[in-house]
């Protein structure tokens, strides 16, 4: 990349990230997650935590944000630091409770349906459609789908993402390379639905992209040349071995009950 992109590396990346990386991510999402995403819908940023703060600016601070309970503790801290109202939303056996969303008057819900943290729960398709139905009822409602480690599913066919079955444009899809490559690689991305994308261009495209051009060009080539797919295959094998060893140890104890895959 240093040899081949000397001129490009001296140019400040556009606010959403360089086009080669957005193209590569769009192709990856289409091939492996069944998502039809245009490259211009993808916004690159230095991790999902930064992007979540950007989203709050985009969606507005006068809305009520929902944080899963239990859930990823940093989401509540980000909401608090941004000065927005947030409420904890309890889960049932299928994930986010629609009753809780209505009762607590939530406008924006952050959820990780493919592999909930920390319970390991996988949201069934029926609840996903219920959640999309809830979001479609009101103009300001949106779902932030955090797909943070869907690449490491070990059993069965992947359940479609909320974004791929969303017909009303109510899902913001977020993912990161921190889980699959390295936590120190602060590269995440979000996929904005059309209405929010237009608003982003009007209100927030003055921001500079927070990921260095060099990192973006390297990652684009890593994806395009098939290295990322090979890397994931190696890591799935390694993590499956560790996963099976941990479960085998737990199952040797009669006191332990494992409810999730």
């Amino acid at each position: 990349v240093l040899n081949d992109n000397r001129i490009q590396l001296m140019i400040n990346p556009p606010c959403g990230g360089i086009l080669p990386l957005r193209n590569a991510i769009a192709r990856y999402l289409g091939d492996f997650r069944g998502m039809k995403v245009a490259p211009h819908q993808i916004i690159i940023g230095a991790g999902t935590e930064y992007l979540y703060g950007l989203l709050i600016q985009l969606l507005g601070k006068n809305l009520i944000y929902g944080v899963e309970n239990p859930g990823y503790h940093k989401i509540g801290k980000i909401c608090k630091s941004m000065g927005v109202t947030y409420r904890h939303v309890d889960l049932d056996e299928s994930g986010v409770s629609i009753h809780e969303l209505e009762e607590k008057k939530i406008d924006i819900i952050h959820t990780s349906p493919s592999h909930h943290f920390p319970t390991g729960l996988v949201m069934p398709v029926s609840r996903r459609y219920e959640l999309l139905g809830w979001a479609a009822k009101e103009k300001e409602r949106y779902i932030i789908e955090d797909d943070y480690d869907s690449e490491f599913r070990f059993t069965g066919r992947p359940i479609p993402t909320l974004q791929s079955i969303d017909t009303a444009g109510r899902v913001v899809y977020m993912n990161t390379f921190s889980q699959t490559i390295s936590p120190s690689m602060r590269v995440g991305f979000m996929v904005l639905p059309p209405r929010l994308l237009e608003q982003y261009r009007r209100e927030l495209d003055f921001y500079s992209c927070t990921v260095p051009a060099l990192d973006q060009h390297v990652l684009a080539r890593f994806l395009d040349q098939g290295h990322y797919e090979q890397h994931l295959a190696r890591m799935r094998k390694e993590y499956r071995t560790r996963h099976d060893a941990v479960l085998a140890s737990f199952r040797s104890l009669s006191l332990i009950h494992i409810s999730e895959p």
Side-chain angles (χ1 to χ4, degrees), residues 22 36 52 66 80-81 89 107 113 161 228 236 246 250:
R22 295 156 94 180
K36 294 180 180 179
Y52 196 72
K80 185 176 181 180
S81 71
V89 179
D107 297 303
T161 63
Y228 184 62
R236 282 192 196 101
V246 170
F250 281 145

Side-chain angles (χ1 to χ4, degrees), residues 4 14 16 21 30 33 64 69 87-88 93 97 120 126-127 143 170 175-176 185 189 192 208 231 238 242 249 251 255:
D4 298 344
L21 179 55
R33 298 299 280 141
I64 299 175
N69 181 38
R87 295 169 183 165
H88 289 98
E93 66 280 357
S97 167
S126 58
R127 177 56 57 84
I143 302 163
R170 297 307 179 119
N175 208 335
T176 176
M185 186 177 189
F189 63 91
L192 295 177
S208 297
H231 166 73
E238 170 66 20
R242 298 186 192 185
S249 297
R251 285 184 176 125
L255 300 175

Side-chain angles (χ1 to χ4, degrees), residues 22-31 33-43 161 163-164 171 173 189-193 197:
R22 295 156 94 180
N23 283 332
I25 291 172
R27 282 193 292 272
Y28 171 78
L29 292 176
D31 291 343
R33 298 299 280 141
M35 295 167 57
K36 294 180 180 179
V37 173
H40 64 269
Q41 289 180 261
I42 298 170
I43 308 296
T161 63
Q163 194 277 345
S164 67
V171 176
Y173 176 91
F189 63 91
M190 61 181 175
V191 179
L192 295 177
L197 181 62

Side-chain angles (χ1 to χ4, degrees), residues 73-145:
H73 66 280
K74 280 192 179 181
I75 300 302
K77 290 182 177 180
I78 293 170
C79 288
K80 185 176 181 180
S81 71
M82 296 291 291
V84 299
T85 301
Y86 71 97
R87 295 169 183 165
H88 289 98
V89 179
D90 293 337
L91 309 182
D92 58 25
E93 66 280 357
S94 296
V96 172
S97 167
I98 306 300
H99 172 74
E100 283 265 312
L101 292 174
E102 295 284 6
E103 187 178 74
K104 295 184 177 179
K105 295 180 169 50
I106 303 299
D107 297 303
I108 313 293
I109 181 64
H110 175 280
T111 183
S112 47
S114 294
H115 183 205
H116 177 262
F117 177 85
T119 67
L121 184 72
V122 178
M123 186 184 290
V125 173
S126 58
R127 177 56 57 84
R128 296 183 189 220
Y129 278 110
E130 284 183 61
L131 195 55
L132 290 170
W134 165 83
K137 286 181 182 178
E138 300 289 343
K139 183 181 178 181
E140 300 299 329
R141 287 180 179 175
Y142 283 97
I143 302 163
I144 301 173
E145 179 180 17

Side-chain angles (χ1 to χ4, degrees), residues 135-207:
K137 286 181 182 178
E138 300 289 343
K139 183 181 178 181
E140 300 299 329
R141 287 180 179 175
Y142 283 97
I143 302 163
I144 301 173
E145 179 180 17
D146 190 345
D147 206 29
Y148 70 100
D149 75 344
S150 60
E151 294 84 1
F152 296 130
R153 182 179 174 87
F154 301 132
T155 57
R157 291 177 59 82
I159 297 176
T161 63
L162 283 164
Q163 194 277 345
S164 67
I165 57 176
D166 173 28
T167 58
R170 297 307 179 119
V171 176
V172 176
Y173 176 91
M174 303 186 82
N175 208 335
T176 176
F177 293 97
S178 297
Q179 297 287 334
T180 54
I181 297 179
S182 170
S184 61
M185 186 177 189
R186 305 306 302 162
V187 182
F189 63 91
M190 61 181 175
V191 179
L192 295 177
R195 192 173 71 157
L196 285 183
L197 181 62
E198 292 174 11
Q199 185 182 343
Y200 178 86
R201 286 172 170 169
R202 289 196 310 269
E203 299 176 7
L204 298 179
D205 70 350
F206 64 88
Y207 278 108

